[in-house]
Structure formats: C-alpha cells, structure tokens
C-alpha cells in the first residue's frame, strides 16, 4: 500500500539520514527501484514528473501500475508515490488520481502567489492524507523542459512557506538538475544552515542529487536534509547498460533484440545505482 511521505521523512530528519526519491519513467524503472528498496529494507519515494506521467499514459495508469506491482512483488517497505515539480493543476490531478504525495513547484511565482497557492493545496492534500512538498528558490538546470536559474532560497521566505503547513520543503542552495558544470561552486551550506535554524523540524529536500560529492551529501544531511532526489544518474546507468548490450551484438539472428533481455541489463544498472544511493543516504534498514 502506498503511504504519505510525511512519516518516513519526519523519521529520517530525526534519525539523521535521508530517504531517496528516485524518478520513474516506465515499468522497468519502477520494478528496479521497488525491488532494491525491499532488498535493503529501506523506505523509498517514487518521483513522477509531469512529462513522465504523460508518457506512462496518465496519472491513474501510474497509480494502477505501482499499486499492483507493490502487491505482486510483495513489497512491504513504505513507498510514497510523489508528483515531482507539479504545477497547480497537476497537483489536483494527482490528488484525485491516488498519488500519496505531491510537490507544488510555485517557485517561479512571486512569493505572495506561491504562498496563496501552496496554502490552498496544503488543505486539499491533507484532506486526503497526502503529503505535500513546496519549493522556494529555483533549482538550477533543465528538467523536463523546465529551466531554473539556480538561485539560493531566502531563509525568511522558506520560513513563511514552511509555516503554511507543508510537510517538507525544497530550498535552492546552489543545487542543479542534471550534471554539474566543472566550475560549479558547490552547495551553500551557509544558506542551508540558516534555513534549518528557522524551519526547525521541517524535513528539507535536496533536488539535483546526481553528481553531488559524497562528503557534501553527508554534510547536507547533517544540516537537516531528509529527502534527496535522483534522476539523471539512473538515466546514465540505464543508457550505458543498454548501449553495451546492443553494441555486444546480442541480437536474435536478424530478429532484433529480445526486449526483456535488453531491458534486464538496464534494470540491473538502475538497481546498482539505487543501492549505492540508499547506502550513501543512510536509509538502508530504516523501513
Ligand atoms: P538529478 O536529475 O540531477 O538527479 O535531479 C533529480 C531531481 O531533482 C528530480 O526532482
């Protein structure tokens, strides 16, 4: 059964570890992440971007696939199904469709409008027992066609949004989606520390988990980060494994590639990536 992400993240914040949010794109991605979480006895959050939701035939299809997979695979660890970077309209769609968590990304609105819309969505999500994440300060880089500049969040604005009753808060601290450029200045721990001082027990979220050095991840967790999002690293691992399979020429005597064997290699690569991240984030054995 799907659960809200609130309890698992409150526990993570109190226990000084982070739960990974891994984005899903299809059946193989989902299966790989669920099986790894179960094997490692770790809570997990499945992230769905609006683009991935559309690709997978809509949010109700995603909810059906994930719920049935949890049953078929005998998954007993806590699993949250979370809309990633949702617009106002799509938060409502996911609340209706049976997601157990949503993120409202109102960071591009003026702060007053972000506050008003977040407040309304908090009430709608909580009425159904669904957790909600909000964002302050843009996360840099491109994700699903949405380009963010990557500015650091204002700690006072973070406090204002945290006080609206959101369950966890994404704050820009110099993090970027996708690969980090060679001249990246690193995370702003000064900003993170100021945010955590003002927001107290609120679990903080670090987007752009791909390519952040392990020591920075650990420091971020020590300063209140309890959820870390990873997408690009799974994509890179999947692409490398499937490319290798094709280049090895394992086709079926002119009949093309066996899709299940090809995708099994990609799935194994995602599993290895998810395992490495869960170990780094400290969520292994915390289910
Ligand atoms: P990466 O693509 O950098 O791993 O970030 C994922 C993310 O933050 C999803 O919201």
């Amino acid at each position: 059964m799907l659960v809200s992400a609130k309890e698992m993240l409150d526990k993570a914040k109190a226990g000084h570890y982070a739960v990974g949010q891994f984005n899903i794109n299809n059946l193989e991605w989902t299966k790989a992440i669920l099986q790894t979480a179960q094997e490692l006895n770790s809570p997990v959050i499945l992230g769905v971007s609006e683009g991935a939701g559309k690709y997978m035939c809509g949010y109700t299809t995603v909810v059906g696939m994930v719920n049935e997979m949890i049953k078929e695979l005998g998954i007993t660890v806590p699993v949250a199904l979370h809309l990633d970077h949702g617009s106002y309209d799509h938060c409502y769609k996911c609340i209706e469709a049976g997601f157990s968590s949503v993120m409202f990304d109102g960071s591009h609105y003026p702060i007053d409008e972000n506050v008003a819309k977040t407040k309304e969505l908090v009430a709608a999500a909580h009425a159904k027992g669904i957790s909600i994440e909000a964002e302050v300060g843009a996360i840099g880089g491109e994700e699903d066609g949405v380009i963010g500049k990557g500015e650091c969040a204002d700690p006072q604005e973070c406090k204002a949004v945290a006080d609206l009753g959101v369950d966890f808060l994404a704050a820009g601290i110099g993090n970027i989606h996708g690969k980090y450029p060679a001249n990246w200045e690193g995370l702003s721990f000064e900003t993170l520390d100021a945010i955590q001082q003002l927001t107290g027990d609120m679990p903080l979220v670090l987007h752009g988990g791909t390519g952040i050095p392990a020591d920075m991840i650990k420091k971020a967790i020590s300063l209140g980060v309890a959820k870390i999002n990873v997408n690009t690293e799974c994509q890179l691992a999947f692409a490398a494994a499937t490319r290798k399979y094709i280049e090895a020429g394992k086709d079926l005597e002119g009949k093309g590639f066996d899709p299940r064997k090809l995708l099994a290699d990609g799935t194994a690569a995602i599993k290895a990536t998810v395992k490495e991240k869960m170990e780094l984030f400290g969520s292994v054995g915390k289910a």
Side-chain angles (χ1 to χ4, degrees):
M1 206 186 73
L2 289 172
V3 297
S4 133
K6 179 174 169 51
E7 195 185 325
M8 64 170 92
L9 294 181
D10 283 347
K11 262 174 80 181
K13 170 110 189 192
H16 307 290
Y17 60 92
V19 177
Q21 174 194 305
F22 301 95
N23 285 48
I24 60 170
N25 292 284
N26 58 20
L27 180 143
E28 284 75 18
W29 237 262
T30 313
K31 186 173 161 189
I33 297 162
L34 288 176
Q35 285 180 326
T36 309
Q38 186 68 25
E39 273 160 32
L40 299 180
N41 198 30
S42 167
V44 73
I45 299 170
L46 303 177
V48 179
S49 68
E50 292 191 0
K54 194 171 166 194
Y55 175 79
M56 290 185 278
C57 299
Y59 299 125
T60 51
T61 309
V62 177
V63 169
M65 174 180 77
V66 172
N67 275 328
E68 293 309 314
M69 219 180 251
I70 287 173
K71 272 191 236 155
E72 282 289 330
L73 297 172
I75 304 294
T76 55
V77 295
V79 179
L81 180 61
H82 179 75
L83 173 66
D84 190 26
H85 291 283
S87 59
Y88 177 79
D89 291 348
H90 283 245
C91 282
Y92 276 113
K93 286 185 184 180
C94 288
I95 290 170
E96 285 308 312
F99 274 53
S100 63
S101 189
V102 291
M103 172 189 187
F104 172 53
D105 183 351
S107 60
H108 50 284
Y109 290 115
I111 186 70
D112 289 351
E113 199 172 347
N114 189 359
V115 164
K117 287 190 157 67
T118 303
K119 214 166 161 178
E120 194 192 308
L121 284 164
V122 165
H126 286 175
K128 287 201 159 197
I130 295 169
S131 50
I132 178 162
E133 171 180 349
E135 175 172 328
V136 181
I139 315 275
E142 188 267 339
E143 195 189 36
D144 237 348
V146 181
I147 305 199
K149 282 200 308 296
E151 63 207 33
C152 278
D154 172 349
Q156 292 295 347
E157 287 187 3
C158 289
K159 166 137 180 67
V161 173
D163 286 349
L164 301 175
V166 299
D167 299 294
F168 32 103
L169 184 72
I173 52 164
N175 39 331
I176 300 173
H177 290 123
K179 282 188 170 175
Y180 285 86
N183 61 353
W184 179 50
E185 286 171 14
L187 298 176
S188 170
F189 292 113
E190 206 185 312
T191 308
L192 181 58
D193 194 29
I195 295 168
Q196 125 125 329
Q197 305 239 358
L198 288 174
T199 56
D201 292 337
M202 172 73 50
L204 301 174
V205 182
L206 185 63
H207 282 247
T210 295
I212 300 177
D215 57 336
M216 284 196 203
I217 293 277
K218 291 202 165 134
K219 186 153 185 200
I221 293 172
S222 77
L223 290 170
V225 164
K227 171 176 180 278
I228 303 178
N229 294 6
V230 178
N231 179 38
T232 305
E233 211 154 317
C234 289
Q235 292 187 359
L236 292 169
F238 183 82
T242 48
R243 190 181 304 120
K244 197 167 150 200
Y245 185 93
I246 291 171
E247 283 172 1
K250 294 183 188 171
D251 66 348
L252 300 169
E253 294 157 357
K255 284 191 281 178
F257 293 92
D258 179 331
R260 280 172 274 171
K261 287 190 181 149
L262 168 70
L263 293 171
D265 276 19
T267 305
I270 293 177
K271 278 183 156 185
T273 304
V274 171
K275 180 170 189 276
E276 189 191 308
K277 294 296 167 193
M278 286 179 166
E279 283 167 352
L280 174 62
F281 300 166
S283 69
V284 174
K286 297 293 196 320

